Structure formats: C-alpha cells, structure tokens
Amino acid sequence: MSKTSIPLPVPENVGKLYDQILKDEHEYDQFEKFNHQLHIGYWDDPSDQSVPMGEAVVRLTDLMIERLKVGAGDHVLDLGCGIGGPASQIVMNTGANVTGVSISEEQIKLAARLAANKGVAERAKFQRADAMQLPFEDESFDAVMALESILHMPSREQVLSEARRVLKPGGRLVLTDFFTRAPHNHDAELHPAIEGFCRVAMITMADVDDYAAMLHRVGLRVRELRDITEQTMDRTWRATLEIVALNDRPVPYDLNDLLGVEEFGCLLVAAERP
Ligand SMILES: C[S@@+](CC[C@H](N)C(=O)[O-])C[C@H]1O[C@@H](n2cnc3c(N)ncnc32)[C@H](O)[C@@H]1O
C-alpha cells in the first residue's frame, strides 16, 4: 500500500455524499445525459473524438456484462448500483434478473423509477444495503458486478469475501477499481492530485500488486486483471471538465490537477468462485 493519510471511507458518509449530489436536480440531469451511468467511460480507441461520454459509459457496462456470462433466468447482484442504468442494461442485454444494492437511499428510489420507466421493474429490484455486510443467503447469485464501487468501501477484502459468499459455485465476479500504477513508487507519498481527489470523493486506491493474492485469499479464482487506464481515465477527466465548464458552478475539486497524472490507474477484474 502507498503511504497515505487518506481516511478509510465510512459507508454512511458515502451514502450521504451521493444523496446530497442527487437531490440537486441539476446534477441528476447530468447523469441522465450519461444514460444513468455513474462511472468512467471506455473508449476502444482513446483518440477517437467521435465517441461521446454518454456512449463510452454504456460501452464500459457492456464490457462488464459480457464477462458476467449470464442469461435469461440467472440472478445478478449489482453491488453499488448507482441510479440503476447498469442494472437495467443487464436486464435488457441478457434477460437476467438483477438485485441492485446501494448505500444511498436516494439512488435506490431513482434506480427503481428508472427500471419502471424502462419497463423492467419486474426483473430489476433495488434495496439499500451495505456491501460490507450483505443481507443475502450464501450462494444466492449467479454473478456479482461491482462497477466502480469497491473503491468507496472501507475493506476491499471484506467486500470480496461477501461477494464470494453470495456467489454460487462457478459464478462470476466482475468489477472495476482504481489503483496507483507505475511510475508510482510504493514507498513514496501518494501523488497530491490523487490524494486530493480521494479525500473529496471518499475513495481509496487499490494496491495492484496485491490484487490477485487478495482474490485468492477470499477463495476466488482470477480470470482477468486488466489495466484499462489508457481507454478510460484521461478522456473521462476531459469529458467531465467540459461539463463543469458549461455549468459554471462551483466544484469541490479541480479535475485539471489530474490531467496527465499517469499514476491514476483503472483496473478491470474478473474472477470466479470455484
Ligand atoms: C461511482 S458510483 C457507481 C454506481 C454504479 N455502479 C454505476 O456504475 O453507475 C459508486 C456506487 O457505490 C455505492 N456504494 C459505495 N459504498 C457502498 C457500500 N458500502 N455499500 C453499498 N454501496 C456502496 C454508492 O452508493 C454508488 O452507488
């Protein structure tokens, strides 16, 4: 782990942070433009300027869904479901049923409303729960997805262990996570721009060198560990900055500080319960 003084996220506070953001109608409108996806975008060709953020966020969810390997009748747990864009996408792409959980009460309401609007309310259900202690039986899901959510949780290992517990044998876990990557030196302080962002966003960065070992420790078999930084981060910061500029509203953190900071990495992980 890098030397860092970033406090561990407190689930209740993360929930309040999202509640507060989403109660602001203007902020909600922004996420509507991004197809109700609350995460980074994925550009197959990061230099292709013709692909807007709204398409790139859906593309990342599609990449996750492909790896879940589910079909009609299967049951997927969406861990940290946001406002429900990804859950509705799973139902529509695969015919699977989805249970979405989030620590934010506001998100649960919005996700249920979205599923109803899209006509998938029978197959996509949402409830408030803390991923650190899931209110589900052992072996109750065919797959678990955690799209950009584990980074908000105080113990990755605990969440992975919970995901393994609720997965059926042979079931898949697919997630994205942020990590500090080379040229970051593990004995050095975290880059100040990353540290500032982590504090405001209530996240921590993963230790990539320990990721495979951590998955093994909780009893999961690694299927894929892929650095997707080049396809995601820089374009996401730039797309977000464009929106911020249009809004002309005060922001808690200046994303310009993160442009060109190569130590801010994003990881795509797929694992399986043996
Ligand atoms: C960046 S958003 C991603 C949302 C969604 N996966 C998406 O891609 O649109 C992070 C999500 O993690 C959820 N989250 C953070 N900590 C949590 C916890 N301890 N338990 C459950 N959900 C949590 C947040 O409420 C939010 O829904």
Side-chain angles (χ1 to χ4, degrees), residues 11 14-15 18 36-39 78-83 86 101-104 107 129-132 147-149 152-154:
V14 174
Y18 278 108
H36 305 92
Q37 317 261 343
L38 239 113
H39 56 250
D78 184 2
L79 218 50
C81 62
I83 53 175
V101 301
S102 168
I103 197 73
S104 154
Q107 288 184 351
D130 186 349
M132 299 282 289
L147 213 181
E148 207 175 305
S149 56
H152 280 303
M153 300 172 189

Side-chain angles (χ1 to χ4, degrees), residues 16-194:
K16 282 187 201 143
L17 178 71
Y18 278 108
D19 283 348
Q20 197 186 331
I21 295 170
L22 290 163
K23 274 183 183 150
D24 180 337
E25 256 175 52
H26 181 86
E27 293 292 337
Y28 181 73
D29 287 351
Q30 296 299 345
F31 295 123
E32 204 160 32
K33 284 188 198 129
F34 292 165
N35 294 304
H36 305 92
Q37 317 261 343
L38 239 113
H39 56 250
I40 58 174
Y42 185 100
W43 287 262
D44 289 289
D45 173 1
S47 66
D48 181 356
Q49 297 302 321
S50 70
V51 179
M53 179 77 172
E55 232 173 83
V57 286
V58 170
R59 173 80 180 121
L60 179 59
T61 306
D62 276 339
L63 290 177
M64 308 281 288
I65 295 173
E66 279 166 23
R67 286 160 172 78
L68 294 173
K69 303 215 178 294
V70 291
D74 284 334
H75 194 180
V76 179
L77 174 63
D78 184 2
L79 218 50
C81 62
I83 53 175
S88 291
Q89 201 171 321
I90 293 173
V91 174
M92 293 188 290
N93 288 14
T94 70
N97 298 311
V98 181
T99 295
V101 301
S102 168
I103 197 73
S104 154
E105 193 70 60
E106 201 61 27
Q107 288 184 351
I108 295 305
K109 286 188 230 152
L110 292 168
R113 191 177 78 187
L114 178 71
N117 289 343
K118 290 195 176 280
V120 297
E122 283 300 306
R123 316 271 284 279
K125 308 279 183 198
F126 303 91
Q127 69 185 78
R128 185 177 183 276
D130 186 349
M132 299 282 289
Q133 256 185 317
L134 291 170
F136 305 115
E137 302 279 312
D138 294 357
E139 302 187 9
S140 43
F141 293 95
D142 298 285
V144 176
M145 180 172 87
L147 213 181
E148 207 175 305
S149 56
I150 197 167
L151 37 89
H152 280 303
M153 300 172 189
S155 164
R156 285 177 170 80
E157 196 153 334
Q158 165 85 16
V159 174
L160 294 175
S161 176
E162 277 293 86
R164 186 219 182 250
R165 181 182 67 74
V166 301
L167 266 179
K168 292 178 188 167
R172 288 272 178 134
L173 166 69
V174 182
L175 62 86
T176 56
D177 203 348
F178 292 154
F179 73 101
T180 38
R181 66 174 195 159
H184 176 76
N185 167 359
H186 280 243
D187 295 325
E189 301 287 333
L190 203 54
H191 190 293
I194 299 180

